[in-house]
Amino acid sequence: MAEPVVRIPEAKVALSTASVYPESTATAFEVAARLGYDGVEVMVWTDPVSQDIEALRRLSDYHQVPILAVHAPCLLITQRVWSTDPWVKLQRARAAAEKLGASTVVVHPPFRWQRQYARDFVSGIWRMADETDVRFAVENMYPWRYKDREMLAYAPEWDVTKDDYRHFTVDLSHTATARTDTLAMVDRMGDRLGHVHLADGRGSAKDEHLVPGRGTQPCAELLERLAYSGYDGHVVIEVNTRRAMSSAEREADLAEALAFARLHLAAASRGTRA
């Protein structure tokens, strides 16, 4: 029997609800359904719908778009979302993931000024991971830069591969901002890589989150590696569309990002590699 020309990996391509900002969480579900994404990752932030499990369930059911991951509220602007206690935030993110059928909670390492949280973070993440089937996938970050100055804003490390976690998220906009070797970082993550935030960047001090293919990151090569390795986690399009002049332009960017991901995940037949 002849082998297929291409084989499609198990990895699903999801849309981060952050990718439609400044439009709403509800809009992200509409766009994901219209463009044919496999699901969404919910960024829990200041939009009340993103914090409301029943509202999210209704959106998922109505649009027939599953929620594959929940991004815990770890940003500066979400310091008061779901409590000011970071461990309570993670407990609520886990509960949301379990109730919504999501397999992954994405979490950032602590800010350095969250001293007690940072001190207990590695052991605390292991403890929480032992209590659930949901993956806690800790995301790589980057140093903050201003002109010629660099500040290490995250603890224990912005390079999360320097600490011991069960699962990692790699974010390619963050590797660009950190000016680190993306594929070397992925190699260090090894089979603990459980989640991908697909975006691009040019090495700016700003976290750019460009549409993949518009920067300098090895987006295509990473996707092809994932396809050949049998990666079964999620690939999440997490891009910045704030500068889009219209909803149609934003949707065109998100369609382009989805097409890029699908193209490079569709590996050549076994035994032949481009």
Side-chain angles (χ1 to χ4, degrees):
M1 181 181 295
E3 290 190 347
V5 175
V6 296
R7 59 186 174 90
I8 306 301
E10 295 297 322
K12 294 181 178 180
V13 182
L15 178 66
S16 169
T17 59
S19 295
V20 304
Y21 182 84
E23 297 194 60
S24 67
T25 300
T27 298
F29 280 86
E30 294 174 19
V31 172
R34 190 156 49 240
L35 296 181
Y37 277 84
D38 296 318
V40 300
E41 174 179 303
V42 173
M43 172 68 80
V44 180
W45 65 301
T46 56
D47 180 350
V49 171
S50 74
Q51 305 170 31
D52 186 329
I53 293 173
E54 289 309 312
L56 292 169
R57 195 197 312 276
R58 288 194 296 271
L59 284 168
S60 177
D61 290 346
Y62 179 78
H63 293 287
Q64 292 296 289
V65 173
I67 297 169
L68 302 180
V70 173
H71 195 310
C74 305
L75 307 176
L76 283 173
I77 64 169
T78 60
Q79 291 301 289
R80 295 186 176 278
V81 172
W82 278 0
S83 171
T84 56
D85 182 332
W87 291 115
V88 172
K89 290 174 183 284
L90 295 190
Q91 290 163 0
R92 292 189 65 173
R94 180 192 69 189
E98 290 171 343
K99 291 175 181 177
L100 294 168
S103 64
T104 303
V105 167
V106 179
V107 57
H108 293 180
F111 294 110
R112 294 189 74 85
W113 56 84
Q114 296 174 302
R115 293 181 181 176
Q116 185 61 47
Y117 180 44
R119 188 177 301 120
D120 299 334
F121 184 69
V122 177
S123 60
I125 289 293
W126 271 100
R127 185 169 57 252
M128 293 191 73
D130 285 338
E131 296 171 350
T132 181
D133 290 332
V134 173
R135 294 178 174 181
F136 283 89
V138 185
E139 184 173 0
N140 62 299
M141 298 305 292
Y142 47 84
W144 289 3
R145 295 188 180 91
Y146 178 72
K147 295 183 178 179
D148 296 328
R149 301 184 65 182
E150 183 175 288
M151 182 176 79
L152 299 179
Y154 299 95
E157 293 283 347
W158 63 263
D159 179 353
V160 293
T161 64
K162 293 183 179 180
D163 291 297
D164 181 27
Y165 300 109
R166 183 173 293 170
H167 293 107
F168 293 111
T169 296
V170 67
D171 183 304
L172 276 74
S173 179
H174 295 175
T175 57
T177 305
R179 301 170 189 166
T180 194
D181 184 326
T182 302
L183 297 179
M185 176 175 279
V186 168
D187 286 343
R188 293 195 298 275
M189 292 178 174
D191 60 9
R192 291 181 293 169
L193 174 61
H195 203 69
V196 174
H197 280 169
L198 186 63
D200 215 331
R202 303 188 187 98
S204 165
K206 296 180 179 180
D207 184 17
E208 296 174 286
H209 284 275
L210 303 176
V211 171
R214 298 184 186 177
T216 60
Q217 291 300 288
C219 299
E221 186 173 353
L222 174 62
L223 292 170
E224 289 161 10
R225 280 193 182 195
L226 296 177
Y228 277 94
S229 69
Y231 172 78
D232 63 355
H234 305 317
V235 174
V236 178
I237 302 299
E238 190 183 76
V239 296
N240 184 345
T241 62
R242 283 176 237 182
R243 294 187 177 180
M245 300 301 292
S246 66
S247 295
E249 184 178 333
R250 174 173 293 109
E251 198 162 317
D253 283 347
L254 298 177
E256 179 183 331
L258 175 60
F260 183 101
R262 293 223 191 280
L263 172 65
H264 293 287
L265 282 171
S269 61
R270 192 172 303 168
T272 62
R273 182 168 184 172

